[in-house]
Amino acid sequence: MAIPVGLMNLSNSCYINSVLQLLLGIPEFCTRLLEIQATDPFIVALQNLFKYCISVSESGIIIKPNSVIKSLFETTKLFRMGEQGDSHEFLLFILDIIDVRSDSSIIKDLFYGKLGKTYQCMCGFVCKAEEDFNFLGISASSGDICTGFAQLLCSKQDITSKCEMCHLVVTKQVIVVVKKQPKFLIFQIQRFGYNGQKIQTPVKINRQVYNRQFKGCISHFGNTYHGHYNYTGVSGETIYTIDDASVTTVKDIRSVSTDSYIVLYGEMDLVQQQQQQQQQQQQQQQRPSYIA
């Protein structure tokens, strides 16, 4: 697998660089992005940057993402030159731009899943609905990604709204289930509270979450108002931390648990699935038999 290249920080652009590195770490996304017959200036700039990063991988050079950043600030006022931004907001912005301004289904194919919601009123009326999603927020107090995801799979919520049957404004119970997982599952760890304080509680990054394999993680350092982002991802058997222009190898992913903010999981390839099946079979064979 290719060794990633660093991206130069162009005045508080670490939130941009970390997201670009996360997407560069998804080969299927890169391939399909470059196949788009794009006319939108931002998507074209993104394609040119990705094509160049891929062509010079393992070279050790540092790339200036000038064209992408220039096009970004010309495209939207959500982000401004020299100001700090939120990597999660920028990631969703990129996914939305590609989805809306191109004729490709890449974003829906790779990143969208489906939630099923069941609403039940005190009068007994039940209503069911489905909702698309491209990320899932999990609590920073969940302890690890697996536990946070499990809490979402069959979570119960209460909302106050008008019932279609009794026409009263009441508190209804909502049962939420994940009906369809996306090919690449994005978790946002909810580290920023309504009071503006950042929650520093460590969240363990599991190598596997059900049938999804860890691909990468964006970490945030600092507080709500001043901070820094970097990216840690897997390339083959090697784990890299990319901090703007700096690319280093790390032994494992435990070092990012305290500051993890966005975590990406993807489908396991055929080899990984076979290895998991073999491990499960070995575990079953090693279990003691209690048959007399």
Side-chain angles (χ1 to χ4, degrees):
M1 298 292 287
I3 300 173
V5 293
L7 299 175
M8 186 174 293
N9 189 321
L10 303 177
S11 184
N12 288 324
S13 63
C14 59
Y15 71 98
I16 296 174
N17 290 346
S18 61
V19 170
L20 294 177
Q21 294 288 8
L22 181 141
L23 295 175
L24 277 164
I26 308 175
E28 187 172 353
F29 172 82
C30 296
T31 300
R32 294 194 57 181
L33 173 69
L34 298 180
E35 291 174 350
I36 296 175
Q37 300 297 316
T39 57
D40 180 84
F42 179 75
I43 299 177
V44 171
L46 203 62
Q47 288 177 315
N48 291 336
L49 176 65
F50 274 47
K51 188 183 300 182
Y52 184 61
C53 286
I54 294 169
S55 68
V56 298
S57 63
E58 303 191 31
S59 66
I61 69 170
I62 299 169
I63 298 172
K64 289 184 178 180
N66 293 12
S67 58
V68 168
I69 292 178
K70 181 176 182 294
S71 180
L72 170 67
F73 297 137
E74 291 174 350
T75 301
T76 179
K77 294 182 179 180
L78 294 173
F79 310 99
R80 297 180 182 276
M81 175 67 77
E83 295 184 3
Q84 295 193 1
D86 182 87
S87 62
H88 181 243
E89 292 178 358
F90 180 59
L91 174 59
L92 296 184
F93 172 81
I94 285 187
L95 299 184
D96 185 61
I97 284 287
I98 297 174
D99 191 38
V100 173
R101 298 190 183 183
S102 76
D103 57 2
S104 173
S105 62
I106 172 178
I107 303 303
K108 287 186 170 58
D109 292 345
L110 300 185
F111 299 104
Y112 270 81
K114 196 174 292 291
L115 295 176
K117 295 188 175 182
T118 302
Y119 302 83
Q120 184 168 357
C121 178
M122 295 172 62
C123 71
F125 178 71
V126 176
C127 176
K128 294 187 177 183
E130 292 186 346
E131 179 181 305
D132 292 333
F133 72 92
N134 57 8
F135 79 96
L136 294 173
I138 63 173
S139 171
S141 62
S142 59
D144 61 77
I145 300 295
C146 278
T147 301
F149 189 33
Q151 292 170 350
L152 285 172
L153 286 175
C154 288
S155 62
K156 292 184 180 180
Q157 306 170 3
D158 288 328
I159 64 167
T160 301
S161 63
K162 188 175 182 179
C163 177
E164 299 176 26
M165 180 64 70
C166 67
H167 304 294
L168 297 176
V169 178
V170 295
T171 299
K172 295 185 287 187
Q173 186 181 74
V174 186
I175 300 175
V176 183
V177 296
V178 179
K179 299 192 70 174
K180 176 189 174 185
Q181 293 186 47
K183 195 162 189 176
F184 292 94
L185 182 57
I186 300 170
F187 291 104
Q188 181 211 24
I189 300 175
Q190 298 167 335
R191 292 201 174 277
F192 301 101
Y194 295 108
N195 59 0
Q197 297 296 315
K198 182 183 176 183
I199 303 170
Q200 300 281 6
T201 308
V203 177
K204 179 183 175 183
I205 308 299
N206 308 94
R207 289 302 297 259
Q208 292 183 7
V209 175
Y210 295 90
N211 59 345
R212 296 293 186 270
Q213 187 83 10
F214 172 78
K215 299 296 182 182
C217 170
I218 294 175
S219 297
H220 177 270
F221 307 89
N223 55 43
T224 306
Y225 309 103
H226 303 282
H228 180 69
Y229 294 94
N230 70 15
Y231 169 74
T232 299
V234 178
S235 181
E237 297 298 320
T238 307
I239 303 173
Y240 294 95
T241 289
I242 310 174
D243 194 334
D244 290 328
S246 172
V247 180
T248 57
T249 58
V250 294
K251 292 183 178 180
D252 55 47
I253 57 176
R254 288 180 292 180
S255 59
V256 301
S257 63
T258 302
D259 303 290
S260 53
Y261 180 44
I262 299 171
V263 188
L264 174 72
Y265 288 84
E267 289 183 335
M268 292 184 285
D269 58 32
L270 184 59
V271 174
Q272 291 171 331
Q273 291 177 5
Q274 291 174 344
Q275 290 175 345
Q276 186 183 52
Q277 290 174 356
Q278 290 174 356
Q279 290 175 356
Q280 291 174 346
Q281 290 173 355
Q282 290 174 356
Q283 289 173 357
Q284 291 176 353
Q285 291 172 356
Q286 291 172 358
R287 290 174 183 171
S289 174
Y290 297 98
I291 301 176

